Amino acid sequence: MASIWEYANPRKFMGTSAALLPWVTAIAALCLLGGLVWGFFFTPNDFRQGSTVKIIYIHVPSAIMAVNAWFMMLVCSLIWFIRRHHVSALAAKAAAPVGMVFTLIALFTGAVWGQPMWGTWWEWDPRLTSFLILFLFYLGYIALWEAIENPDQAADLTAVLCLVGSVFAILSRYALVFWNQGLHQGTTVSTVGVGVEENEGVSSVFLYPMLTCLTGFVFLFITLVLYRTRTEIRARRLKALIAQEQMA
Amino acid sequence: MMGLLKRDLALAIRAGGGFGLSLAFFLIFTALVPFGIGPETGRLSEIAAGLLWLGALLACLLSLDRIFQLDWEDGSLDLLATSPLPLEALAAIKALAHWLTTGLPLVVAAPILGLILNLPGPAFVPLVLSLLAGTPALSAIGTFGAALTVGIKRGGLLLSLLVLPLYVPTLLFGAMAATRGAQGLDPTPTLALTLGITLGCVALLPFAAAGALRINLR
Amino acid sequence: MALSVTDIACARGPAQVLAGVTFSVAAGEALILRGPNGAGKTTLLRTLAGLTPPLSGTIEHADGAIAYAAHADGLKTQLSVAENLTFWAGVFGAPSITAALDAFDLHDLASRRAGELSAGQKRRLSLARLLVTGRPIWCLDEPTVSLDAGNTARFAAAVEAHLATGGSAIIATHIDLGLPTARTLDITPFISRRLRQDDPFADALT
């Protein structure tokens, strides 16, 4: 049986990702289009929040993906450390800007949603603040990649930063809860169940379009990371060829 | 190991060592606060504890790029890396030297600067204790950041960008302890958390810093 | 053998610079590395010193045997000559710095700040550091830069004395040091300018 690590071979990765990309792109487009249209136009308005609640179909998936992108970078960094798979290091590099944009979208949609609901664009609430800090972590991670010329050295140092940063990100998360009990509602998607009252958790009318959107965001993330990893591999190869040219 | 500590302390104190610069920055920062906030003593005294923590943190940040950069530039870092001294010990001593030359003076200066910001009476002891418990973490985290960026020309700004998010938990707990003291609440739990972060950082980060140094020296 | 190098390849960043380097140095022996500028002498010495891992091949020597002296002097300009040496003596556990001061005629300069020294005097101080390391294998990168003829001879004498006590030295240099027993190794045949063999993306796009 073929080992999963075979896909860490750059050539194998290029081949497999090229075959996969049309499919994941299509799934991402379908789910996003379907989920957003469903959510925006075919669900009732919330009895308290009105139509503003519909921003949830972008806000929640992007927030979930913002955290998961960092988690994926952490896993890739560990794989790079333990098994020295170069594709893994480049995938972490490729995921960072995507994760950063998801974080920005979550922050922006949160502000737009929060303004009519809480009467303020920004609140130093633990959830909001931890996303702001997550954004800073992404910024630092990307800046470190950009600052180091030697790609293997950059991969090593950013992986160290990612590991240490993850510990501090979790620490900050709990420190913030301690610091300020927030306004933000608790996580509602996971508390859904049949017959749950309307003000506890999300009822299934909202849940299914939400899950569709979430699937769309997951596949959007996969699509973007695959494209960006392929670009990084090409850029790396190009750099090597230019270097070779100069040496000859 | 003592030799390295002594050398670093001597270098910091002698001409061009930059000892006192952080302290001066802390003073200027504190003196500028009322210009930005306004002179009402009531308002100042309310935010004094947090501001002093923030000032100490920024003053600490200023001197981080010197930790490894000078040794890197003159070649002694290469020589130290090939010496019997393990890089982990090197990182730990560098962090200790940084704390002794930067963190500790800030702790001593903080209550004096507290006077000009009208820090409430009951806050003085918690402020000093929280700084004492928290500044070693700032030095340890900063040493790790300095090790990450040692090979980068003009890496000072990048260093700040990397280190500031890592400073968040320490700042949160440290400033909270001081502020709770100012409000007459019991600062002990937050002090314990600050100390916990410091102990964790001091115990683990030298290993991460040594790893980063090893990668940078390749 | 004090040091034996078998078929190593060295890299500087993404590029391989040397390949198939094989040599050995016995106790009491000196090896002069020669090669044109940019051939990879510094890279080779850094690899021997353990700073840069070799791409392939093996380097065998006793643990903690190598004393490395780079291009840069590694001095602290605010400290005096004696303080600089005492620091390194402390790091390497040497009892005294007198022998090192003797060998490079630094006694008169001992209390001067290193920042006030001339380039040649700094070099002498940086070479004196080798004596306080107490390590048997010296890896020296252009040790005689900015030394005058008299001090070059002094350096050669220090190397001779080191060899006589069973030490060895690997010295990258362009000048004739006047070491009668030294072997010379020209690294030109090992120059291998190309991408690292282990470039994982070599066939990524084929």
Side-chain angles (χ1 to χ4, degrees):
Chain A
M1 199 183 129
S3 153
I4 184 173
W5 299 115
E6 247 180 56
Y7 296 99
N9 171 293
R11 191 167 163 206
K12 180 97 182 164
F13 174 84
M14 288 304 274
T16 314
S17 60
L20 279 180
L21 261 174
W23 297 100
V24 288
T25 314
I27 296 174
L30 277 177
C31 287
L32 276 180
L33 202 70
L36 289 178
V37 169
W38 186 0
F40 284 161
F41 301 110
F42 299 99
T43 56
N45 288 345
D46 185 270
F47 75 100
R48 268 180 302 138
Q49 305 196 5
S51 62
T52 45
V53 74
K54 293 188 170 177
I55 206 166
I56 201 173
Y57 298 108
I58 297 174
H59 178 72
V60 170
S62 55
I64 290 175
M65 289 319 291
V67 176
N68 283 334
W70 184 274
F71 183 69
M72 176 237 158
M73 282 156 58
L74 173 64
V75 172
C76 284
S77 300
L78 283 171
I79 294 175
W80 162 246
F81 261 141
I82 297 163
R83 300 190 60 115
R84 309 303 282 180
H85 287 315
H86 286 77
V87 173
S88 177
L90 290 185
K93 181 185 185 185
V98 182
M100 188 174 78
V101 172
F102 278 137
T103 315
L104 262 184
I105 293 174
L107 284 170
F108 178 77
T109 52
V112 169
W113 189 11
Q115 211 286 328
M117 287 300 103
W118 302 334
T120 171
W121 295 99
W122 183 260
E123 186 67 36
W124 289 94
D125 157 279
R127 251 169 215 262
L128 272 71
T129 315
S130 50
F131 271 84
L132 186 64
I133 293 167
L134 183 63
F135 179 70
L136 295 180
F137 274 108
Y138 275 121
L139 217 59
Y141 180 87
I142 295 168
L144 189 62
W145 261 110
E146 293 306 316
I148 302 163
E149 220 161 288
N150 181 343
D152 280 359
Q153 221 168 20
D156 276 329
L157 291 171
T158 50
V160 175
L161 179 67
C162 187
L163 296 189
V164 174
S166 302
V167 175
F168 277 87
I170 292 168
L171 210 58
S172 306
R173 179 79 188 82
Y174 288 100
L176 285 166
V177 175
F178 201 89
W179 174 66
N180 189 358
Q181 313 292 340
L183 271 181
H184 197 293
Q185 54 186 298
T187 308
T188 44
V189 179
S190 60
T191 55
V192 73
V194 184
V196 171
E197 280 178 58
E198 200 162 356
N199 52 358
E200 286 176 30
V202 178
S203 75
S204 54
V205 188
F206 300 109
L207 180 71
Y208 293 123
M210 170 63 80
L211 288 182
T212 317
C213 281
L214 187 57
T215 316
F217 268 81
V218 170
F219 276 91
L220 175 65
F221 175 72
I222 296 172
T223 309
L224 291 175
V225 170
L226 283 181
Y227 268 119
R228 289 186 52 86
T229 311
R230 290 169 60 82
T231 311
E232 290 292 345
I233 290 174
R234 291 203 178 98
R236 174 88 182 249
R237 183 72 193 132
L238 190 64
K239 216 171 153 185
L241 289 173
I242 291 170
Q244 196 169 33
E245 197 90 328
Q246 285 165 345
M247 267 183 271
Chain B
M1 284 170 65
M2 281 310 289
L4 181 63
L5 182 62
K6 259 194 259 170
R7 182 196 75 155
D8 270 18
L9 295 183
L11 285 174
I13 292 163
R14 291 197 191 173
F19 179 79
L21 278 182
S22 306
L23 209 53
F25 174 85
F26 192 25
L27 171 68
I28 291 169
F29 173 85
T30 316
L32 286 179
V33 165
F35 303 146
I37 307 288
E40 300 91 346
T41 45
R43 195 179 334 161
L44 281 176
S45 94
E46 220 171 89
I47 56 170
L51 276 173
L52 287 169
W53 244 98
L54 200 57
L57 182 143
L58 292 176
C60 202
L61 191 70
L62 267 188
S63 51
L64 291 181
D65 60 340
R66 304 180 69 94
I67 296 181
F68 291 116
Q69 199 66 39
L70 298 176
D71 280 348
W72 163 270
E73 279 164 10
D74 66 20
S76 19
L77 198 57
D78 278 344
L79 302 178
L80 280 167
T82 56
S83 80
L85 196 68
L87 282 176
E88 287 77 8
L90 174 74
I93 292 168
K94 285 282 182 181
L96 177 61
H98 180 262
W99 183 70
L100 287 174
T101 54
T102 309
L104 195 57
L106 294 175
V107 176
V108 175
I112 302 163
L113 296 177
L115 290 175
I116 66 172
L117 288 186
N118 251 51
L119 187 71
F124 278 86
V125 175
L127 175 73
V128 172
L129 286 180
S130 66
L131 281 171
L132 210 52
T135 44
L138 300 185
S139 291
I141 297 168
T143 306
F144 166 67
L148 273 183
T149 55
V150 69
I152 301 167
K153 296 236 157 32
R154 287 179 293 280
L157 202 59
L158 178 65
L159 175 58
S160 310
L161 185 62
L162 297 184
V163 163
L164 278 176
L166 302 178
Y167 274 177
V168 168
T170 320
L171 175 64
L172 279 181
F173 285 135
M176 217 189 314
T179 310
R180 284 176 69 90
Q183 293 162 347
L185 300 167
D186 178 19
T188 329
T190 33
L191 270 181
L193 287 167
T194 317
L195 195 63
I197 289 181
T198 289
L199 292 178
C201 287
V202 168
L204 298 176
L205 280 179
F207 294 95
L213 280 180
R214 220 164 265 131
I215 296 162
N216 265 320
L217 287 174
R218 275 210 304 253
Chain C
M1 282 299 131
L3 173 92
S4 87
V5 171
T6 317
D7 194 25
I8 63 165
C10 309
R12 191 168 47 211
Q16 171 177 300
V17 288
L18 294 169
V21 184
T22 302
F23 63 85
S24 58
V25 182
E29 194 182 22
L31 183 72
I32 308 289
L33 294 180
R34 283 198 201 282
N37 287 134
K41 297 187 291 291
T42 299
T43 306
L44 178 57
L45 286 170
R46 285 182 70 85
T47 309
L48 295 180
L51 288 167
T52 312
L55 287 178
S56 60
T58 51
I59 302 171
E60 286 168 57
H61 58 77
D63 258 356
I66 290 189
Y68 172 60
H71 252 286
D73 289 322
L75 303 175
K76 288 294 165 195
T77 50
Q78 299 107 307
L79 300 183
S80 74
V81 169
E83 282 170 327
N84 267 300
L85 272 183
T86 311
F87 164 66
W88 289 110
V91 169
F92 285 91
S96 128
I97 60 165
T98 320
L101 289 173
D102 285 341
F104 288 92
D105 191 25
L106 291 164
H107 275 292
D108 295 342
L109 302 172
S111 57
R112 288 264 293 276
R113 286 199 314 119
E116 295 165 4
L117 301 182
S118 75
Q121 290 169 326
K122 278 184 186 154
R123 196 91 272 248
R124 272 151 67 197
L125 171 54
S126 131
L127 291 170
R129 187 187 63 89
L130 290 167
L131 291 169
V132 302
T133 63
R135 290 190 161 180
I137 307 170
W138 290 359
C139 289
L140 314 181
D141 198 354
E142 304 281 2
T144 55
V145 168
S146 53
L147 290 186
D148 57 24
N151 281 306
T152 304
R154 195 171 267 132
F155 165 69
V159 174
E160 292 273 16
H162 177 63
L163 299 181
T165 59
S168 1
I170 299 158
I171 306 170
T173 181
H174 292 287
I175 63 157
D176 184 19
L177 291 171
L179 294 168
T181 58
R183 278 193 299 136
T184 300
L185 176 72
D186 188 353
I187 64 165
T188 315
F190 304 125
I191 295 177
S192 165
R193 244 359 85 125
R194 60 150 170 219
L195 295 177
R196 309 167 53 141
Q197 291 249 272
D198 62 348
D199 181 10
F201 297 103
D203 65 346
L205 305 182
T206 51

